[in-house]
């Protein structure tokens, strides 16, 4: 019996798994996938549009006069600040997003975060024409609203994802990041070339607004309040998560234990390392291809999208293999997280260094594509690790790790802008060598301290301990009970 058959039988639904619309939790995954599609489409469109906004072009006025013009005369340092401005706001709200999603419902905060960003994207051309400060201001506010998205989706998974499907459901949803990148990068180049750079923001902003309406109508906070879910699926999800319908939980997070946990800091370091390489290429690859590889704008968009296409595809593979390895008993959860994450980081280090050293169009693009692509396996490591450590605190944990993981989005474009003032090959090599070194550091830290086990300080572990104590006090069960005080763990 394969994994699909097991899952089909265990959730009590007679339809095959490929009919995902028959299962509400998979509808949530599909809409989350589209949500993350918009998250990254709205984020990366500027990386391509800024090439058109700052390129020097020849304009023929028809009377024999040909002049060179730019829409915006921004040097590399100014472009670096524009590209990083999104993350000035983004770093402010991941922690807040994880906290308020437990109060209000992750689905609501997730939707509002993306929907507001879409509206702000529509006014981006107006802001750019008003001045550099206005553009940076709008991008900062966009970052504030998008900063809640990753922590909020973990709050959604804590309500909707059975433990045996966590890697798969999260990986499929996160694949939307790369689908959005794959679509936004080439089409941003096409739109900018055919209809002007303003069209990039109008089109993707409108798509984000449509998604927001659909998400708000279709997705509910949990199975208990979803009228479209079957009784069998609801019971399956609640049972697998150890929840009882109708019981409202008041969550008190073990703050001290969380921020002093080595396992938490291991996933923070891993998240930071992956994002450094990711944001370096996400924000700088179009400029690198144009300035150093001398590609045209439309080709720049297509080529820049290839690594993220590969990563998006491999996310499905990595999520399936991670779940399969656990279900078959080939690896423990800790081993899955460690092997997938660190194996990916080692591969990324090697291919990033190789591509930077060669610095030839075909070879370099191939190496960078492989480096970004195998990062999909890292996402089956650190990106779902929060749910292993403490499901009920997963949104807050993601908020903590994503706050630190936003720093590369701020720092990397600025550093790159200062390093590449002359746009020389050696300058770009330094940029990519830095990314490779940070991958390696993240690999070492995660290997040493990562864990895939429910932590003693987690809310779930404390509830289990309290239950055991209560049963012992009432004479129910005679098993060994750990005598440590709950208060000492919090």
């Amino acid at each position: 019996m394969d994994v699909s058959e097991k899952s089909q039988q265990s959730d009590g639904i007679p339809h095959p798994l490929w009919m995902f619309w028959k299962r509400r939790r998979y509808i949530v995954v599909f809409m989350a996938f589209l949500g993350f599609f918009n998250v990254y489409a709205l984020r990366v469109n500027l990386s391509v549009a800024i090439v058109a906004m700052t390129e020097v072009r020849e304009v023929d006025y028809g009377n024999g006069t040909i002049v060179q013009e730019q829409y915006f005369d921004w040097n590399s340092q100014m472009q670096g600040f524009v590209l990083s401005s999104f993350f000035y706001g983004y770093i402010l709200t991941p922690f807040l997003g994880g906290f308020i999603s437990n109060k209000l419902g992750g689905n609501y905060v997730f939707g509002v975060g993306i929907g507001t960003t879409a509206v702000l994207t529509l006014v981006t051309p107006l802001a750019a024409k008003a001045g550099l400060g206005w553009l940076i201001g709008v991008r900062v506010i966009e970052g504030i609203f998008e900063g809640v998205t990753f922590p909020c989706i973990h709050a959604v998974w804590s309500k909707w994802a059975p433990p045996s499907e966590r890697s798969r459901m999260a990986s499929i949803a996160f694949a939307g990041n790369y689908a959005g990148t794959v679509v936004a990068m080439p089409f941003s180049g096409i739109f900018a070339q055919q209809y002007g750079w303003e069209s990039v923001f109008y089109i993707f902003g409108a798509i984000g607004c449509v998604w927001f309406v659909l998400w708000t109508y279709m997705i509910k906070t949990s199975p208990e309040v979803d009228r479209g879910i079957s009784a069998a699926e609801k019971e399956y999800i609640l049972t697998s998560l150890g929840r009882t319908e109708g019981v409202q939980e008041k969550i008190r997070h073990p703050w001290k234990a969380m921020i002093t946990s080595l396992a938490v800091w291991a996933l923070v370091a891993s998240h930071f390392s992956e994002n450094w390489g990711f944001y370096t290429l996400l924000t700088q690859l179009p400029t690198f291809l144009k300035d150093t590889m001398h590609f045209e704008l439309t080709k720049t968009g297509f080529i820049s999208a290839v690594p993220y296409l590969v990563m998006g595809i491999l996310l499905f593979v990595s999520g399936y293999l991670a779940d399969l390895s656990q279900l078959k008993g080939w690896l423990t959860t800790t081993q899955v997280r460690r092997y997938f994450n660190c194996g990916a980081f080692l591969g990324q280090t090697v291919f990033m260094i190789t591509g930077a050293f060669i610095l030839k169009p075909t070879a370099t693009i191939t190496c960078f594509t492989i480096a970004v692509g195998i990062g999909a396996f890292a996402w089956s490591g650190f990106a779902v690790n929060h749910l292993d450590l403490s499901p009920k605190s997963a949104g807050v944990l993601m908020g903590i790790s994503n706050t630190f993981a936003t720093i590369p989005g701020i720092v990397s474009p600025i550093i790159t802008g200062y390093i590449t003032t002359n746009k020389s090959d050696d300058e770009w090599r330094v940029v990519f060598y830095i990314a490779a070194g940070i991958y390696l550091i993240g690999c070492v830290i995660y290997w040493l301290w990562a864990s895939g086990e429910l932590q003693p300080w987690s809310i779930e572990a404390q509830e289990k301990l309290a239950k055991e104590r209560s049963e012992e006090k009432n004479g129910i069960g005679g098993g060994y009970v750990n005598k440590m005080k709950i208060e000492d763990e919090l």
Side-chain angles (χ1 to χ4, degrees):
M1 183 183 297
D2 63 20
V3 178
S4 297
E5 290 172 340
K6 284 184 179 180
S7 180
Q8 183 177 333
Q9 290 185 4
S10 63
D11 68 6
I13 299 174
H15 304 287
L17 290 179
W18 63 267
M19 298 177 69
F20 71 89
W21 56 89
K22 296 293 185 179
R23 291 170 170 80
R24 292 297 291 181
R25 66 188 186 278
Y26 294 165
I27 294 288
V28 175
V29 172
F30 177 68
M31 289 301 297
F33 170 90
L34 295 180
F36 281 115
F37 175 99
N38 283 287
V39 165
Y40 268 73
L42 297 172
R43 185 181 304 186
V44 307
N45 52 21
L46 182 61
S47 298
V48 177
I50 200 170
V51 178
M53 294 164 73
T54 58
E55 72 175 345
V56 178
R57 66 196 190 284
E58 290 187 348
V59 179
D60 187 349
Y61 285 97
N63 57 359
T65 303
I66 299 176
V67 299
Q68 291 187 328
E69 292 184 355
Q70 285 178 282
Y71 287 110
F72 303 100
D73 184 17
W74 300 334
N75 60 30
S76 63
Q77 288 94 337
M78 294 170 70
Q79 291 180 47
F81 279 106
V82 170
L83 290 171
S84 66
S85 60
F86 174 91
F87 300 99
Y88 304 160
Y90 190 83
I91 198 172
L92 300 175
T93 51
F95 179 78
L96 179 63
F99 184 74
I100 63 175
S101 63
N102 285 326
K103 298 288 185 180
L104 304 179
N107 61 314
Y108 296 122
V109 186
F110 186 71
V112 170
I114 299 173
T116 305
T117 304
V119 172
L120 291 169
T121 299
L122 293 172
V123 303
T124 297
L126 183 63
K129 292 173 182 177
L132 186 65
W134 285 98
L135 174 60
I136 289 176
V138 168
R139 293 290 290 181
V140 169
I141 299 172
E142 285 185 29
I144 288 173
F145 280 93
E146 270 207 13
V148 304
T149 52
F150 279 92
C152 287
I153 204 63
H154 266 39
V156 172
W157 299 144
S158 71
K159 301 289 188 182
W160 281 96
S164 63
E165 299 179 14
R166 282 175 186 161
S167 295
R168 203 178 329 160
M169 292 174 67
S171 295
I172 291 172
F174 289 146
N177 298 336
Y178 309 104
T181 304
V182 167
V183 172
M185 280 191 158
F187 279 94
S188 291
I190 293 172
F191 296 152
Q193 194 81 22
Q194 298 294 323
Y195 309 112
W197 61 267
E198 299 94 335
S199 66
V200 174
F201 303 101
Y202 295 145
I203 293 171
F204 286 109
I207 292 172
C209 291
V210 171
W211 172 87
F212 169 71
V213 173
L214 294 175
W215 172 270
T216 303
Y217 174 74
M218 296 174 62
I219 306 303
K220 308 304 178 184
T221 305
S222 66
E224 296 97 317
V225 296
D226 192 324
R227 295 182 179 179
I229 194 171
S230 68
E233 185 180 11
K234 182 194 296 185
E235 181 181 359
Y236 168 68
I237 295 173
L238 295 179
T239 301
S240 69
L241 294 174
R243 296 213 314 270
T244 302
E245 184 173 4
V247 176
Q248 298 297 319
E249 299 175 298
K250 185 176 182 180
I251 298 176
R252 295 179 60 189
H253 300 288
W255 299 106
K256 181 180 178 181
M258 283 194 294
I259 63 176
T260 57
S261 170
L262 289 177
V264 169
W265 287 106
L267 70 87
V268 168
S270 185
H271 200 167
F272 178 96
S273 301
E274 175 62 21
N275 274 17
W276 186 283
F278 180 80
Y279 285 140
T280 296
L281 292 178
L282 189 69
T283 59
Q284 302 300 326
L285 193 55
T287 301
F288 165 74
L289 292 175
K290 184 176 184 296
D291 291 344
T292 304
M293 302 285 109
H294 308 296
F295 287 106
E296 296 177 357
L297 177 60
T298 51
K299 289 184 179 180
T300 293
F302 276 101
I303 295 171
S304 297
V306 171
Y308 305 102
L309 173 61
V310 174
M311 189 174 193
I313 294 171
L314 289 180
L315 269 171
F316 291 91
V317 177
S318 70
Y320 177 79
L321 289 178
D323 283 338
L324 183 65
S325 298
Q326 292 173 265
L327 286 170
K328 293 290 188 180
W330 299 335
L331 298 171
T332 65
T333 302
T334 299
Q335 289 172 330
V336 166
R337 304 300 178 230
R338 184 177 286 146
Y339 295 167
F340 277 54
N341 197 99
C342 296
F345 276 9
L346 286 175
Q348 288 177 298
T349 300
V350 170
F351 284 103
M352 188 71 77
I353 291 174
T354 304
F357 178 77
I358 297 172
L359 220 62
K360 300 293 182 183
T362 302
T364 296
I365 292 168
T366 300
C367 287
F368 287 173
T369 297
I370 296 172
V372 172
I374 59 179
F377 291 89
W379 279 80
S380 289
F382 76 85
V384 292
N385 200 188
H386 316 73
L387 291 160
D388 302 322
L389 304 181
S390 179
K392 292 181 180 179
S393 296
V396 171
L397 290 174
M398 178 55 111
I400 293 171
S401 73
N402 209 31
T403 298
F404 285 92
T406 302
I407 295 173
I410 297 172
V411 177
S412 177
I414 295 174
I415 290 178
T416 301
Y418 279 98
I419 292 174
T420 60
T421 53
N422 298 314
K423 308 183 191 310
S424 69
D425 290 358
D426 288 338
E427 289 174 341
W428 279 105
R429 283 192 177 97
V430 172
V431 171
F432 300 130
Y433 288 156
I434 290 172
I438 291 176
Y439 278 137
L440 188 58
I441 293 171
C443 175
V444 173
I445 294 174
Y446 197 78
W447 182 267
L448 291 175
W449 293 314
S451 173
E453 305 305 317
L454 187 70
Q455 296 299 289
W457 47 260
S458 70
I459 298 169
E460 294 82 0
Q462 296 303 319
E463 289 174 343
K464 181 179 179 181
L465 178 60
K467 181 179 179 181
E468 289 174 350
R469 285 184 167 183
S470 176
E471 290 177 348
E472 183 187 54
K473 183 178 180 180
N474 295 322
I476 303 174
Y480 171 77
V481 178
N482 190 331
K483 298 300 182 182
M484 65 181 180
K485 292 182 179 180
I486 294 177
E487 292 81 5
D488 293 338
E489 291 293 322
L490 297 178

